């Protein structure tokens, strides 16, 4: 997919702003019920600027799914390349991204046909990603995923601290 828009700092921030606004609305209203006009309004941009970055709502959803795949690859890379990754660092990662991840999980749980179809298109990428995790790191990675899911929905620091300590 060719990235539309410009790659200046301002352009990148505009694109991310539109994606974040769309994710909030998709999680709240559902993908099907959210219009491109709703997204432009939520992002506080004109519809023309929206179209500068995304051809359609489907194009925008693909970008959101791809950005979360990139995030999970980065987290996985941290886990698999840094034996010294401590519990505080993991808690920091989870706290930093928990709101966005909560919205993403809410979107996925809606079971809307278009969302499911686009996610299915990424299954080979997900399977490849899981195959690349060394066997010795799979338990750490799965624990982190459980940790993220727990914190995302409970925001319980006590539980987060106990679980993150169990990684070591």
């Amino acid at each position: 997919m060719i990235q539309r828009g410009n790659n200046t700092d301002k352009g990148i921030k505009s694109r991310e702003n539109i994606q974040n606004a769309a994710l909030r609305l998709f999680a709240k209203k559902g993908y099907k019920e959210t219009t491109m006009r709703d997204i432009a309004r939520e992002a506080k941009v004109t519809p023309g600027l929206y179209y500068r970055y995304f051809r359609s709502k489907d194009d925008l959803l693909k970008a959101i799914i791809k950005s979360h795949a990139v995030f999970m690859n980065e987290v996985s890379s941290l886990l698999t390349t840094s034996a010294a990754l401590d519990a505080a660092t993991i808690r920091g990662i989870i706290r930093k991204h928990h709101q966005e991840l909560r919205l993403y999980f809410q979107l996925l749980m809606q079971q809307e046909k278009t969302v499911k179809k686009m996610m299915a298109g990424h299954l080979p990428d997900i399977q490849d990603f899981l195959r690349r995790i060394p066997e010795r790191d799979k338990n750490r990675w799965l624990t982190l995923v459980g940790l993220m899911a727990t914190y995302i929905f409970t925001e319980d620091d006590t539980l987060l601290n106990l679980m993150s300590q169990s990684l070591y």
Side-chain angles (χ1 to χ4, degrees):
M1 177 175 68
I2 296 172
Q3 185 166 324
R4 295 167 59 104
N6 62 41
N7 288 325
T8 64
D9 286 344
K10 184 178 178 183
I12 291 167
K13 286 180 183 176
S14 293
R15 184 177 174 84
E16 288 174 356
N17 176 46
I18 293 167
Q19 281 184 227
N20 292 335
L23 181 57
R24 285 191 302 274
L25 289 172
F26 292 162
K28 181 180 177 180
K29 294 174 64 173
Y31 177 79
K32 186 176 180 181
E33 297 300 318
T34 301
T35 67
M36 294 188 307
R37 195 173 298 276
D38 292 337
I39 295 165
R41 190 175 324 127
E42 177 77 10
K44 296 178 176 68
V45 299
T46 64
L49 185 62
Y50 171 99
Y51 284 109
R52 180 176 185 174
Y53 294 99
F54 304 99
R55 285 183 293 257
S56 65
K57 194 166 67 165
D58 286 356
D59 189 35
L60 177 53
L61 179 60
K62 287 176 192 173
I64 290 169
I65 291 169
K66 183 177 181 178
S67 73
H68 282 84
V70 168
F71 167 73
M72 292 310 293
N73 274 324
E74 289 171 1
V75 170
S76 178
S77 179
L78 276 175
L79 281 175
T80 58
T81 60
S82 176
L85 189 64
D86 63 4
T89 302
I90 291 173
R91 283 193 305 274
I93 292 167
I94 293 169
R95 283 191 182 109
K96 180 180 177 185
H97 297 283
H98 86 278
Q99 291 292 357
E100 182 182 347
L101 290 168
R102 177 186 292 186
L103 294 172
Y104 186 69
F105 286 137
Q106 287 172 337
L107 169 65
L108 296 180
M109 290 186 295
Q110 291 173 8
Q111 298 293 310
E112 289 190 18
K113 187 176 168 181
T114 305
V115 175
K116 286 169 57 174
K117 182 179 175 184
M118 286 196 196
M119 283 304 296
H122 284 273
L123 282 178
D125 296 335
I126 294 167
Q127 291 167 335
D128 181 55
F129 164 75
L130 292 173
R131 276 192 291 276
R132 285 182 288 139
I133 299 172
E135 199 59 44
R136 64 177 162 56
D137 294 319
K138 284 190 179 177
N139 284 339
R140 283 178 84 191
W141 197 86
L142 291 172
T143 300
L144 181 64
V145 170
L147 230 166
M148 279 198 264
T150 301
Y151 186 73
I152 286 166
F153 291 103
T154 67
E155 296 185 28
D156 182 347
D157 279 346
T158 305
L159 185 57
L160 181 65
N161 290 334
L162 288 173
M163 290 181 73
S164 63
Q165 290 168 5
S166 73
L167 287 169
Y168 305 95

